[in-house]
Amino acid sequence: MNIYEFKVDDIHGNPVSLRDYQGRVLLIVNTATGCGLTPQYEGLEKLYKKYHDQGFEILDFPCNQFLNQAPGTGEEIASFCQLKYGVSFRTFGKIEVNGEKADPLYVYLKQQAPADVENAEAGAFRQILVKLAQTVAGSGIKWNFTKFLIDRQGRVVTRFAPTVKPEELEAAIVKLLPQETKCEKAGER
């Protein structure tokens, strides 16, 4: 099984097959518009613009499970992201990422990558979550802006903690993108 076996809803509730993204490097992110991490949209858009032509896609899944920080409809969320952060990557319908109603895509993602790759800010962030009584055990998604990197074959490569900023992902993304051959660099075909 790989990521291409799943269907998700767009912001209008229409099914979209992830097979449509076959052969591309994907970054799947659960997001929120009213979160302290919401400014990460800006960095995500920079990555998207820089690498989209090389086969990179960002799939944005708004999630209202963490202190109701993604209010509104999918259309309202997409509009906010476009107006405030200039987001041009695709926003999908709102989902749940934990619990009994967790979207099957996220159930799969958590099985494939049960732990976050963290950065220096993760420890302090965990302490904040404890104070908010928002701790999540095991492979559960800890908060908004957890990021899953998927290779061109649809395999989950790694999972990044919410505190890992988009610019910190660049090297991992570039590693999965195709490299030009010597002939292409020289303009030969």
Side-chain angles (χ1 to χ4, degrees):
M1 180 174 237
N2 63 36
I3 205 83
Y4 306 129
E5 306 301 317
F6 293 91
K7 289 187 179 178
V8 294
D9 288 341
D10 68 13
I11 59 173
H12 305 291
N14 301 312
V16 176
S17 172
L18 291 186
R19 225 173 257 300
D20 293 351
Y21 296 95
Q22 196 161 353
R24 302 190 65 81
V25 173
L26 305 178
L27 188 66
I28 298 176
V29 187
N30 65 298
T31 61
T33 53
C35 173
L37 301 172
T38 300
Q40 286 191 22
Y41 271 118
E42 187 176 328
L44 290 169
E45 179 63 16
K46 285 179 184 175
L47 284 175
Y48 181 73
K49 283 185 175 176
K50 187 171 183 178
Y51 295 109
H52 181 255
D53 289 343
Q54 295 176 46
F56 176 63
E57 293 284 346
I58 295 175
L59 309 184
D60 173 8
F61 290 92
C63 177
N64 201 34
Q65 277 190 291
F66 304 101
L67 295 180
N68 301 311
Q69 294 182 334
T73 67
E75 290 139 334
E76 290 168 337
I77 290 169
S79 178
F80 168 85
C81 294
Q82 290 164 357
L83 294 171
K84 177 100 173 151
Y85 296 103
V87 167
S88 58
F89 51 83
R90 191 164 188 183
T91 300
F92 290 86
K94 254 200 251 190
I95 62 166
E96 290 192 15
V97 296
N98 291 329
E100 291 179 12
K101 295 181 183 177
D103 190 275
L105 171 62
Y106 267 79
V107 171
Y108 174 77
L109 292 171
K110 293 184 294 184
Q111 287 170 348
Q112 298 303 303
D116 293 339
V117 171
E118 298 182 337
N119 62 1
E121 297 172 35
F125 188 70
R126 271 194 310 277
Q127 290 176 349
I128 292 168
L129 295 180
V130 169
K131 287 179 184 176
L132 293 171
Q134 293 289 318
T135 56
V136 178
S139 66
I141 302 297
K142 309 303 183 269
W143 203 255
N144 304 308
F145 290 90
T146 297
K147 303 155 198 79
F148 290 89
L149 185 60
I150 315 299
D151 71 13
R152 289 181 178 275
Q153 290 73 43
R155 297 178 300 232
V156 180
V157 174
T158 194
R159 167 182 166 172
F160 295 96
T163 55
V164 176
K165 294 174 183 69
E167 53 272 19
E168 295 176 80
L169 306 173
E170 191 165 8
I173 292 166
V174 169
K175 189 175 176 181
L176 298 176
L177 294 171
Q179 301 298 316
E180 291 181 318
T181 66
K182 290 180 183 178
C183 292
E184 289 172 331
K185 286 181 184 177
E188 300 171 15
R189 299 221 178 222

